[in-house]
Amino acid sequence: MRNLMLIFTGLLLMACQWQEPAAAFGTVERDLIHVNAQTSGLITVFNAQKGDSIKTGQILLQQDNTEQLLIVAQNEAQLALAKAQLTLLQQGSRQEQQEQAKANLARAAAMLDDAKLTQTRQVALFTQKLSSAAALQQADAALAVAQASYDVAEQQLKEVMAGSRQPDIEQALQQVKQLEARLQQVQWQLQQLTVIAERDGTVDDILWRRGERVPAGATLLTLSVDGSAYARLYLPANALANWRLGQQVEVWLEGRDAAVNGTIRYISPNAAFTPHFALHQLERSRLVYLTEVSLPQDLGIHTGTPIRVLLP
């Protein structure tokens, strides 16, 4: 009789024992952005701290830009010089240059006439045997030099009056374009030393500090993106048939009395390792699938908040 009473009491306790409803468990997560250094350099200014709210366009940090500023200034000076040379070629010669070229030609013409007279006189004297052959040769040489000087002055006057050649102008124009492109490149490299936020968010972690020299490509900090909250949970294999992308589900947040509506945005096609918190203790041996559920963005939910979703 006593044994029967013990068995009856045990069955009664088992019948009254509370059974946890089937559910999938997880946490609130947000998309993370890794902010990387575009170039190596010393960090001189760091405007962010862990937990700070960041707005798009806000300067997060500044790397030493002393050398790059000098490179930009050098390229600006080279471009200014090339533009001045192009302008000179496009405008052609000035009136003063033309007048000088005409005067040079007139002087060369006078010297040529004098050399011709001297050479004619020496020929007559040599014919009359009143002058030596050496004197005649010297007069001939002087005439040749005067003729060459005249030809040069005449050609220079033609060039001054004609202005710059089109090939010279085109070459100068291409030089200006090349230097403009180079200036844009070094200005862009200067901008890369100033790291700005590309999205609104919260500083999740900081990996470097002011005064440290970072290599190119190093992750400087991570940002939790605003407006990207979602529930990451592990769905049991036996519930896959009842879940689909775009489906609305109720998500229970730790510390809140009412559920919020979420939308299933991702279900992994492959089974994942089962974390210790993912399933009820009676179901931990079953396969689970990583699932993401988009959450409303105006709830002020902290990243890492535990959540659960009741399974049908």
Side-chain angles (χ1 to χ4, degrees), residues 35-44 61-68 71 185-195 208 212-220:
V35 180
N36 299 327
Q38 298 301 314
T39 183
S40 60
L42 182 70
I43 299 176
T44 57
L61 63 89
Q62 174 70 56
Q63 293 175 265
D64 184 22
N65 58 8
T66 303
E67 181 180 2
Q68 194 63 33
I71 295 176
Q185 180 183 20
V186 297
Q187 287 175 336
W188 178 82
Q189 292 172 346
L190 176 63
Q191 294 175 357
Q192 301 310 299
L193 296 173
T194 302
V195 180
W208 296 81
E212 294 182 309
R213 184 174 297 276
V214 298
T219 299
L220 302 169

Side-chain angles (χ1 to χ4, degrees), residues 188-232:
W188 178 82
Q189 292 172 346
L190 176 63
Q191 294 175 357
Q192 301 310 299
L193 296 173
T194 302
V195 180
I196 64 173
E198 301 292 341
R199 298 280 299 275
D200 294 349
T202 302
V203 178
D204 183 73
D205 194 12
I206 294 178
L207 305 177
W208 296 81
R209 295 292 187 272
R210 184 171 67 88
E212 294 182 309
R213 184 174 297 276
V214 298
T219 299
L220 302 169
L221 52 88
T222 56
L223 292 178
S224 296
V225 180
D226 289 350
S228 64
Y230 65 94
R232 183 175 65 187

Side-chain angles (χ1 to χ4, degrees), residues 88-297:
L88 181 60
L89 290 174
Q90 290 173 334
Q91 291 177 348
S93 59
R94 298 178 301 178
Q95 183 65 30
E96 294 84 351
Q97 292 174 315
Q98 296 177 3
E99 294 299 329
Q100 182 180 0
K102 290 178 181 179
N104 291 337
L105 180 61
R107 183 179 61 181
M111 294 176 63
L112 177 61
D113 291 340
D114 182 66
K116 287 180 178 180
L117 291 174
T118 301
Q119 194 271 349
T120 300
R121 186 167 55 252
Q122 287 296 329
V123 169
L125 292 173
F126 180 77
T127 302
Q128 299 174 10
K129 297 183 179 182
L130 298 176
S131 178
S132 64
L136 178 59
Q137 292 176 355
Q138 184 177 2
D140 290 339
L143 177 59
V145 171
Q147 182 65 53
S149 298
Y150 177 84
D151 293 341
V152 171
E154 186 180 34
Q155 183 61 34
Q156 289 176 345
L157 177 60
K158 289 180 180 179
E159 291 179 357
V160 169
M161 299 302 293
S164 303
R165 296 182 303 170
Q166 187 59 35
D168 293 336
I169 296 177
E170 184 63 27
Q171 182 179 10
L173 179 61
Q174 295 303 320
Q175 178 71 12
V176 168
K177 291 182 178 180
Q178 180 182 9
L179 291 175
E180 285 177 341
R182 173 58 181 166
L183 178 59
Q184 292 178 357
Q185 180 183 20
V186 297
Q187 287 175 336
W188 178 82
Q189 292 172 346
L190 176 63
Q191 294 175 357
Q192 301 310 299
L193 296 173
T194 302
V195 180
I196 64 173
E198 301 292 341
R199 298 280 299 275
D200 294 349
T202 302
V203 178
D204 183 73
D205 194 12
I206 294 178
L207 305 177
W208 296 81
R209 295 292 187 272
R210 184 171 67 88
E212 294 182 309
R213 184 174 297 276
V214 298
T219 299
L220 302 169
L221 52 88
T222 56
L223 292 178
S224 296
V225 180
D226 289 350
S228 64
Y230 65 94
R232 183 175 65 187
L233 51 92
Y234 295 88
L235 184 66
N238 58 7
L240 280 176
N242 299 317
W243 285 44
R244 64 183 182 277
L245 296 180
Q247 178 180 341
Q248 296 290 315
V249 295
E250 290 187 342
V251 180
W252 294 85
L253 303 170
E254 184 72 23
R256 295 182 179 242
D257 296 331
V260 299
N261 292 325
T263 304
I264 300 175
R265 73 178 193 182
Y266 172 75
I267 300 176
S268 174
N270 301 312
F273 170 75
T274 307
H276 69 279
F277 61 84
L279 295 174
H280 185 273
Q281 60 179 353
L282 299 179
E283 301 173 330
R284 287 179 180 171
S285 62
R286 301 183 181 183
L287 295 177
V288 293
Y289 294 79
L290 177 64
T291 304
E292 296 178 358
V293 179
S294 297
L295 297 175
Q297 303 304 320

